[in-house]
Structures are given as C-alpha cells and as structure tokens.
Amino acid sequence: MRKKIVAGNWKMNLNYEEAKLLLNTLINSAKSGNTNAEIIVCPPAIYLAAFSDILKSQSAVKLGAQNCFHQDSGAYTGEISPSQLKSLGVNYCIIGHSERREQFNESYDLLAKKAKALLKHQIQPIFCCGEQLEVRSNNVYKEFIMKQIEDSLFTLKAEEIAQVIIAYEPIWAIGTGKTATAVQAQEVHGLIRARIAKQFGDKTAADINLIYGGSCKSDNAKELFSQTDIDGGLIGGASLDAAEFSHISNSF
Ligand code: PGA
C-alpha cells in the first residue's frame, strides 16, 4: 500500500549527544505535527541501538539504517546484517546511495543481494538510484536509471518489489542546493512507475513508493510532493535541522 514518506539520511554527521537531541526534538514535533506521512530517521549505525530504545514507546518516528551487508552472520569484520538490524526493531534500510556506489564501489549485483536480504527480514529497502550530471547532459539518463533498477531489483517477485521504496536522487542535486525541478523529478518518477507496471503489473506499480532526494527543502518540498508519482522525500542536509525537517514532513 502506498504511503507518504519523509526519511532523513543523517549520513556521517552529529556526535551522540547532538544526535539524541535532534531525535528527541523530532519526536516531539512529529507528535504535535499534523502530518500523515511516515517519518523515518536514518542515523549513523552506531546510534541505532540507543535510538531503538528511545523510539520504542512511540510510533510517530520510525527507524532506518543507512546501509547493511547481505549475509545473516559470519566473518565479515565491520559489517552489519539485516537480521541484526531487525533485532533492534529497524524498519527501513537505505541501500545503493550514490555515495556508497561511488566511494565504496557498490555494484548492481551487490545491491540486488542486499535488497533480497533485507526483505527476507521484513525490512523495507530504500533503494537509491540517479544519474551523474554528464549522464543527464548526454540525455541518456532514462536508460541509465532504468538499468540501475532493472539490474538490482527485477529478480524480485512482485510482492517483494512492492515493499521496496525507490528513491530517485539525481547526483547533481545531492548536497549541491540545485534541486531537480518538479517537472524533471516527476518525469523520472513517472517512467519508473510505468516500467514497474510493465514488468510487475498495474497493482504493484500503484502500490510501490517512489520518493525524491537531492536538495529537498521546506521551500521546494510542497511542489515536489504534489506531483502524481512522488510519494515523499529522502532528505540529507535539511534533515539535520529539526525545524526544516518538520516543515518538510508537513508539506503534503
Ligand atoms: P541532500 O542529500 O538532501 O543533502 O541533497 C540527499 C541524500 O543524499 O539522500
């Protein structure tokens, strides 16, 4: 079932005290806000256990991880498994963020494994895709984005892909202050939904959540979120500011 989603990707920011303060402020504003959106925070992994305890007594804010490995357990020093995330009550996990694809060489095949492993533990993957500026300038972005999705997600069953949240994040818009226009974002979201419909049927396409990321802020969220195929946002920089993030969450 499609829902409205606003997810904060804190990346490698904030020390522990700062992170707890931000979380508590967000919980309070989510409780008093009038949004019907699913509000998700994705803090650095080291804070997940403590956040899970803090979030236990409420349902206004959900917990997400920024990454995971695809095996359940074993000799994988430094990695974290979906079953470990599940044991903390983590509901969502970002995979395939462009920063991980570029700086940690994550392949389409690896991301396919991560998506499957998360779904096995009923954690919803937030699967990121999106093109570099050259790809857009060369006008091959549509094929590029479809290949990212097809190669990593199209071995899933319809009922599995319906649980994946696809985040379209044009790389030229991430952390640059240069947002895709609502028309540019809607074009790609519409194409993704149409491709899902062709492969998995209309019901799956109608159910899957497609969110936008890339310099999404309170002053552009309303226009972006009002587009037919945009179900919310993955927010980086602006999610570190409680007031900004709450404004974005209330933008539907
Ligand atoms: P940004 O980051 O909102 O700072 O552009 C988005 C993201 O990287 O998920």
Side-chain angles (χ1 to χ4, degrees):
M1 205 24 207
R2 214 154 139 191
K3 49 193 172 190
K4 298 171 171 41
I5 293 169
V6 178
N9 174 10
W10 292 6
K11 308 191 181 183
M12 198 179 70
N13 291 301
L14 307 178
N15 67 31
Y16 185 44
E17 291 309 317
E18 293 164 339
K20 271 196 299 188
L21 184 63
L22 177 58
L23 178 68
N24 284 315
T25 313
L26 289 179
I27 294 171
N28 289 335
S29 46
K31 280 183 180 162
S32 60
N34 58 356
T35 180
N36 51 357
E38 179 95 328
I39 297 172
I40 305 167
V41 293
C42 305
I46 193 170
Y47 305 150
L48 286 170
F51 276 31
S52 164
D53 273 346
I54 297 171
L55 291 169
K56 226 185 269 169
S57 57
Q58 57 82 58
S59 60
V61 177
K62 299 277 168 39
L63 191 56
Q66 295 178 15
N67 183 32
C68 69
F69 196 55
H70 57 84
Q71 300 284 1
D72 276 348
S73 62
Y76 304 103
T77 302
E79 293 297 321
I80 299 171
S81 76
S83 74
Q84 291 171 326
L85 294 175
K86 189 68 192 176
S87 71
L88 291 179
V90 169
N91 314 97
Y92 299 92
C93 181
I94 299 171
I95 55 171
H97 191 282
S98 57
E99 287 150 19
R100 295 210 58 88
R101 289 177 189 265
E102 285 181 354
Q103 297 170 51
F104 302 94
N105 298 318
E106 293 197 341
S107 67
Y108 295 0
D109 180 49
L110 178 73
L111 297 174
K113 290 185 178 134
K114 290 188 181 194
K116 279 205 180 78
L118 286 166
L119 289 165
K120 187 174 128 196
H121 293 282
Q122 293 84 45
I123 298 173
Q124 285 190 254
I126 301 176
F127 174 86
C128 302
C129 59
E131 79 286 0
Q132 297 89 342
L133 190 56
E134 315 83 88
V135 175
R136 180 158 280 264
S137 314
N138 294 334
N139 200 26
V140 287
Y141 61 97
K142 294 175 192 166
E143 304 84 312
F144 181 88
I145 296 159
M146 292 311 139
K147 186 165 169 53
Q148 286 182 316
I149 293 172
E150 288 164 14
D151 285 13
S152 294
L153 300 180
F154 274 22
T155 57
L156 296 174
K157 299 189 188 88
E159 61 271 26
E160 291 174 326
I161 200 167
Q163 295 302 312
V164 177
I165 298 161
I166 298 181
Y168 169 54
E169 298 206 304
I171 296 172
W172 46 272
I174 295 177
T176 57
K178 195 169 182 271
T179 325
T181 63
V183 172
Q184 287 173 321
Q186 167 55 33
E187 181 197 34
V188 173
H189 283 236
L191 288 168
I192 296 173
R193 205 178 296 283
R195 185 69 189 90
I196 302 282
K198 191 164 166 230
Q199 188 75 15
F200 296 96
D202 289 344
K203 174 156 183 358
T204 307
D207 281 351
I208 196 166
N209 283 283
L210 308 180
I211 61 177
Y212 169 80
S215 298
C216 184
K217 304 209 165 51
S218 59
D219 58 9
N220 55 34
K222 214 183 184 89
E223 198 191 352
L224 285 161
F225 297 173
S226 66
Q227 304 301 307
T228 323
D229 291 299
I230 302 184
D231 305 314
L234 180 56
I235 320 299
S239 71
L240 299 172
D241 178 325
E244 247 314 270
F245 190 67
S246 300
H247 275 128
I248 295 171
S249 310
N250 292 328
S251 295
F252 290 97

